Amino acid sequence: MASTDARSEASPPSFGGAYVNKQRVLVFCSRGVTARSRHLLEDIRKLLPHHKKEVKLDSKDDLRNVNEIAEIKTCNSALFFEARKRQDLYLWGSKTPHGPSAKFLVSNIHTMDELRLTGNCMLGSRPVLNFCRAFETAPHLKLLREVFVDLFGTPRGHPKSKPFIDRVMTFHVADEKIWVRNYQILDAADGDKRAEAAAERSGSEATSLVEVGPRFVLTPIRIFAGSFGGATLYTNPKYVSPNAQRAELRKAKGSKYEARKAAVAFRKEKEEILAPVPDELADTFA
């Protein structure tokens, strides 16, 4: 009897299919988004079966109104894509209504339709969230990890989710940026007994990863204690806004123009200095 009790205590609790962790994510955007940003929004909605939609938010409205919209939609998290100047895209990830929240610059966007990769996961399946070791060292990355888990992790037993896992969503830090990828877990020995036996003999898994998409890069800008505002917990010191980058490019082009004009003026001045002096006696014996 003692061994039976120990075995029952060691076994994991059974899952009866009840929807307990009721996480809902509000996913929408502001007005003025480009076609590529809109396709990225739709791809992320496909990856999150527990999402809820909302119409586009006017750019003149206060972002704290998102908390009220999330409360009306009975959502406890929000992913908001904010467009600026019809060319810059920012992503807000927040735990509504009390926070924390984080603001990112989205770059290097590649949607599912654009990539046309060979991966093909089941719609509504639950993902395995994979984070690199950098998320275990820096305090602000630890906080972002918890936010990403709440936003992109599909709760178990959700009515619109599938009861299995066939994809991996990875978050890796490189160059002070977060690179997000989505892969399908492909069973290379599916139905092939020889491949399964060879994998068992070698002690390796007969599975591989095939990228599905979308892929994008997040540059952390600022982390707030509240939802869409509040005290600043972290600020990226190496962040350069797209406006500053474009200003530097225009300044570089302007310096090239100034250098070219200075070279033309110097050449004219040099030609005037080196011009031959007219000889006064040239027509004497003509």
Side-chain angles (χ1 to χ4, degrees), residues 48-102:
L48 304 178
H50 59 296
H51 79 275
K52 287 196 174 183
K53 298 181 180 179
E54 177 61 22
V55 297
K56 294 180 180 179
L57 185 69
D58 195 351
S59 59
K60 297 181 181 179
D61 293 344
D62 188 5
L63 290 181
R64 297 183 182 180
N65 294 336
V66 179
N67 296 325
E68 300 178 4
I69 299 174
E71 184 179 359
I72 294 174
K73 293 287 185 176
T74 65
C75 296
N76 47 19
S77 301
L79 275 174
F80 178 66
F81 290 87
E82 183 183 5
R84 296 282 184 87
K85 296 187 176 181
R86 296 187 179 272
Q87 53 185 341
D88 301 329
L89 182 65
Y90 297 89
L91 174 62
W92 286 84
S94 174
K95 287 290 295 179
T96 57
H98 303 296
S101 60

Side-chain angles (χ1 to χ4, degrees), residues 40-51:
L40 176 64
L41 174 67
E42 293 299 329
D43 290 344
I44 291 182
R45 283 175 174 172
K46 291 179 182 178
L47 298 178
L48 304 178
H50 59 296
H51 79 275

Side-chain angles (χ1 to χ4, degrees), residues 12-286:
S14 60
F15 176 66
Y19 179 33
V20 179
N21 184 20
K22 296 186 178 181
Q23 297 286 333
R24 302 182 186 90
V25 182
L26 179 64
V27 183
F28 69 121
C29 63
S30 65
R31 296 188 181 276
V33 293
T34 60
R36 184 186 295 261
S37 303
R38 188 172 62 253
H39 286 297
L40 176 64
L41 174 67
E42 293 299 329
D43 290 344
I44 291 182
R45 283 175 174 172
K46 291 179 182 178
L47 298 178
L48 304 178
H50 59 296
H51 79 275
K52 287 196 174 183
K53 298 181 180 179
E54 177 61 22
V55 297
K56 294 180 180 179
L57 185 69
D58 195 351
S59 59
K60 297 181 181 179
D61 293 344
D62 188 5
L63 290 181
R64 297 183 182 180
N65 294 336
V66 179
N67 296 325
E68 300 178 4
I69 299 174
E71 184 179 359
I72 294 174
K73 293 287 185 176
T74 65
C75 296
N76 47 19
S77 301
L79 275 174
F80 178 66
F81 290 87
E82 183 183 5
R84 296 282 184 87
K85 296 187 176 181
R86 296 187 179 272
Q87 53 185 341
D88 301 329
L89 182 65
Y90 297 89
L91 174 62
W92 286 84
S94 174
K95 287 290 295 179
T96 57
H98 303 296
S101 60
K103 184 179 181 181
F104 307 90
L105 174 66
V106 187
S107 59
N108 296 342
I109 300 173
H110 299 280
T111 61
M112 292 183 183
D113 295 335
E114 178 187 359
L115 292 174
R116 296 189 179 277
L117 297 170
T118 57
N120 185 18
C121 60
M122 181 67 70
L123 183 66
S125 61
R126 300 177 63 226
V128 174
L129 301 182
N130 177 263
F131 298 87
C132 67
R133 292 184 179 180
F135 284 92
E136 300 177 359
T137 56
H140 69 281
L141 292 178
K142 290 182 180 180
L143 180 58
L144 290 180
R145 175 178 177 173
E146 298 300 324
V147 173
F148 287 150
V149 168
D150 291 336
L151 292 174
F152 294 99
T154 302
R156 188 177 185 181
H158 191 275
K160 294 184 179 180
S161 66
K162 300 298 187 296
F164 52 83
I165 295 173
D166 68 341
R167 64 185 180 91
V168 178
M169 200 166 186
T170 64
F171 300 85
H172 291 274
V173 178
D175 298 333
E176 304 294 333
K177 300 177 181 179
I178 302 174
W179 302 70
V180 184
R181 298 289 186 270
N182 185 38
Y183 298 93
Q184 175 195 3
I185 303 175
L186 182 63
D187 188 3
D190 189 11
D192 190 352
K193 294 184 179 180
R194 293 183 179 179
E196 292 178 357
E200 290 180 0
R201 287 193 299 269
S202 62
S204 61
E205 295 288 340
T207 57
S208 59
L209 297 180
V210 182
E211 188 171 0
V212 181
R215 61 169 69 162
F216 52 94
V217 179
L218 300 177
T219 304
I221 301 175
R222 187 170 293 186
I223 301 177
F224 300 93
S227 180
F228 294 94
T232 301
L233 301 179
Y234 170 78
T235 302
N236 188 359
K238 298 182 179 179
Y239 169 71
V240 180
S241 66
N243 290 332
Q245 294 178 5
R246 287 189 289 266
E248 289 294 332
L249 291 176
R250 288 194 299 267
K251 186 177 180 180
K253 291 181 179 179
S255 62
K256 290 181 181 179
Y257 175 78
E258 292 176 358
R260 187 168 63 251
K261 287 298 183 180
V264 171
F266 177 75
R267 186 171 62 251
K268 288 183 177 180
E269 183 180 357
K270 188 175 181 179
E271 289 176 354
E272 293 176 357
I273 295 173
L274 299 179
V277 180
D279 190 3
E280 298 178 355
L281 304 176
D283 299 334
T284 305
F285 302 99

